[in-house]
Amino acid sequence: MTKVVKFGGSSLADAEHFRKVKEIIESEPSRRYVVPSAPGKRYKDDEKVTDLLYQCYNLSVEGEPIDDLFDRIIDRYDSIVNELGLDLDLSDEYLHIKWSIKHHAGRDYAASRGEYLNGKILAAYIGYDFVDPTMFIKFADDGVFDTDETDSLLSVKLAKHERAVIPGFYGSMPNGTIKTFSRGGSDITGSIVARAVMADLYENWTDVDGFLMADPRVVDSPKVIETITYKELRELSYMGATVLHEDAIFPVRSAGIPINIRNTNNPSSKGTMIVPISESYDPSCVITGIAGKRGFSVITIEKAMMNSETGFGRKVLEAIEKENLSFEHLPSGIDTMCVIVGTGEIAECKERIVDRICSSVTPDVISVEAGLALIAVVGRGMVKAKGTAFRVFKACAESDINIKMIDQGSSELNIIIGVEEADFERALKAIYAEFVK
Ligand code: ASP
């Protein structure tokens, strides 16, 4: 059994957390490959080391001194090393990093040193080998992550290490310069490592008990999801639910490796399992989760006999495609067609899209209305249960909420409804209360 364990920034923010992390790793010998983030916040108004490194980079570009700021970064690491009583001298590393940032080694280089230094400390503390991902996690010339090259390089490299710490967040370009993933990207490194060693499980340790059924800022103490499929996770993440970087799913998903979200501060909780497929679900609660977003607009097009005009839909969508925009949903009637798009995305090109639609399909009426919120009610259990849509509508009706749009695909994995932005939070609460007793 091999597990890859990734620890987020809050799980490695100070010496006390390093101790918890060591205990977790040592409690199971299968935890052989460890991917750390940079030290995160220790308290609410604290600063993440990655943010301090970006600030150092910005100062150096402006020709300002970085010494004071860089000293704060050194203090963060030194306090961890000293409190853990480690015999580790990082002073040469600090000098080299500071010099490189001052000499414009690059924004990604600066940011990546947060993970690099934390990896050095963690490897020394738990006695694992340190494997720098620079040579093994590769990006192509266009900056896109190179899956195949990385997989072959990293699997050969890690086969030589029984146990290793591999810093998250970065790799390198073909010319050797450091390149990072987008923010939160250590999750992606963990997934890449899990795939390279064909792990049985990818454990992602963070500071919450797992993936929650609804946004805790809206719903009071929502339940933790025990098991969720990759497909369900995609639907919920797309609608704004977060715990894991969106791109972290792909490497493990294609290898069929499950992910387990765990809480470093509460290791006895089983967390959330993200699995390739699952036939089972809790019959007392057919839905897995609810997520939603504000900020959508509806383009409504009406034309008599639209239904018999072949190519009508294509022409309308072409008008949107020309602006390089994608649409979200397409609910339609016989003589009406609605296209749902992000309000922010069409702000600048609204007039052009309307003009284009008017000239290509000559509608009787066309309007663009903002202020729509979308809510996705997701659950693999829905396909086997009758009355799920009824219960979503009942919950909204009983809370006096008007449903403006409905979309349910035949895969029956989710029901999406559109409501006025002003009703968004009430609708989420009402639907949650209907399904979670
Ligand atoms: N340290 C990086 C960030 O703050 C990457 C990560 O934590 O996953 O975004």
Side-chain angles (χ1 to χ4, degrees):
M1 175 89 150
T2 298
K3 288 184 182 178
V4 169
V5 286
K6 179 258 166 180
F7 290 91
S10 57
S11 300
L12 291 165
D14 53 23
E16 190 198 325
H17 279 90
F18 267 71
R19 287 194 191 98
K20 290 185 191 178
V21 164
K22 185 173 196 238
E23 218 170 282
I24 290 168
I25 295 169
E26 289 179 347
S27 68
E28 279 192 34
S30 59
R31 294 183 172 134
R32 292 172 48 204
Y33 299 99
V34 184
V35 176
S37 283
K41 291 184 181 189
R42 295 160 292 184
Y43 42 87
K44 194 168 160 279
D45 296 323
D46 196 13
E47 282 170 302
K48 294 182 177 185
V49 166
T50 309
D51 289 322
L52 296 176
L53 286 161
Y54 279 126
Q55 286 175 39
C56 279
Y57 169 78
N58 292 341
L59 285 179
S60 88
V61 169
E62 287 157 15
E64 300 287 334
I66 65 168
D67 306 72
D68 289 350
L69 195 53
F70 199 78
D71 280 348
R72 275 162 54 200
I73 296 172
I74 293 178
D75 280 350
R76 288 286 304 259
Y77 288 110
D78 277 353
S79 67
I80 297 173
V81 172
N82 296 336
E83 281 175 46
L84 294 178
L86 285 178
D87 181 19
L88 178 70
D89 181 5
L90 291 171
S91 45
D92 286 349
E93 299 276 5
Y94 297 147
L95 273 179
H96 178 70
I97 294 169
K98 190 165 145 185
W99 185 90
S100 303
I101 295 177
K102 274 187 179 163
H103 292 84
H104 308 155
R107 189 171 185 270
D108 284 9
Y109 167 82
S112 73
R113 296 305 89 184
E115 270 69 11
Y116 171 84
L117 290 170
N118 233 17
K120 285 263 165 184
I121 297 174
L122 187 60
Y125 183 46
I126 62 175
Y128 279 26
D129 299 342
F130 176 82
V131 173
D132 188 335
T134 308
M135 304 294 289
F136 310 100
I137 292 189
K138 290 292 188 182
F139 293 81
D141 277 319
D142 56 4
V144 174
F145 170 61
D146 190 336
T147 310
D148 295 339
E149 180 75 358
T150 298
D151 205 38
S152 59
L153 290 170
L154 198 59
S155 52
V156 171
K157 173 68 181 164
L158 292 178
K160 296 180 194 141
H161 297 266
E162 184 59 25
R163 297 175 181 279
V165 169
I166 308 104
F169 195 35
Y170 70 93
S172 69
M173 296 292 287
N175 67 5
T177 54
I178 297 287
K179 164 107 183 112
T180 63
F181 294 105
S182 55
R183 294 300 304 263
S186 299
D187 284 344
I188 309 175
T189 308
S191 182
I192 292 167
V193 171
R195 187 195 153 108
V197 301
M198 283 313 280
D200 298 283
L201 185 66
Y202 168 27
E203 286 180 346
N204 190 294
W205 291 82
T206 173
D207 55 4
V208 289
D209 274 343
F211 207 94
L212 301 175
M213 283 191 74
D215 187 339
R217 288 165 302 186
V218 179
V219 171
D220 243 2
S221 330
K223 277 195 185 168
V224 172
I225 301 172
E226 266 179 40
T227 305
I228 184 169
T229 63
Y230 285 126
K231 270 193 195 160
E232 290 175 307
L233 182 76
R234 278 280 294 155
E235 300 284 349
L236 290 172
S237 315
Y238 186 71
M239 279 305 215
T242 51
V243 142
L244 201 65
H245 192 295
E246 233 193 315
D247 295 340
I249 298 176
F250 300 107
V252 279
R253 182 177 181 170
S254 59
I257 300 166
I259 307 174
N260 190 191
I261 308 284
R262 300 286 296 265
N263 188 351
T264 304
N265 302 316
N266 185 16
S268 60
S269 149
K270 284 200 265 171
T272 300
M273 281 297 286
I274 307 167
V275 295
I277 38 169
S278 170
E279 294 298 328
S280 66
Y281 68 95
D282 174 4
S284 68
C285 180
V286 291
I287 66 161
T288 304
I290 313 164
K293 276 201 269 195
R294 294 185 175 87
F296 294 96
S297 289
V298 191
I299 308 174
T300 305
I301 303 136
E302 286 182 34
K303 187 178 184 186
M305 307 296 285
M306 165 196 294
N307 201 32
S308 55
E309 246 184 77
T310 49
F312 192 97
R314 177 180 49 77
K315 288 176 197 159
V316 169
L317 295 181
E318 233 167 39
I320 295 164
E321 187 188 347
K322 286 221 166 86
E323 296 293 338
N324 229 343
L325 291 186
S326 45
F327 67 91
E328 303 290 331
H329 296 277
L330 210 58
S332 307
I334 302 175
D335 289 336
T336 58
M337 180 173 169
C338 298
V339 189
I340 300 190
V341 287
T343 305
E345 276 99 82
I346 58 156
E348 185 269 329
C349 54
K350 191 163 98 181
E351 310 297 324
R352 288 198 298 275
I353 290 178
V354 170
D355 287 350
R356 234 178 260 132
I357 294 175
C358 286
S359 59
S360 63
V361 299
T362 56
D364 299 335
V365 181
I366 179 163
S367 65
V368 182
E369 192 193 336
L372 188 76
L374 295 179
I375 296 176
V377 184
V378 177
R380 61 189 179 280
M382 241 180 237
V383 70
K384 296 195 188 101
K386 296 190 181 76
T388 313
F390 162 74
R391 292 173 67 188
V392 172
F393 301 149
K394 181 169 78 92
C396 289
E398 284 173 357
S399 297
D400 199 26
I401 293 163
N402 180 35
I403 296 180
K404 301 191 70 159
M405 187 221 81
I406 305 162
D407 198 346
Q408 187 204 283
S410 52
S411 64
E412 291 183 59
L413 187 67
N414 64 2
I415 297 168
I416 292 169
I417 60 164
V419 298
E420 295 272 0
E421 283 179 343
D423 291 335
F424 175 62
E425 295 202 349
R426 277 194 314 121
L428 268 182
K429 285 190 179 110
I431 298 167
Y432 182 84
E434 168 61 36
F435 287 95
V436 187
K437 304 287 180 197

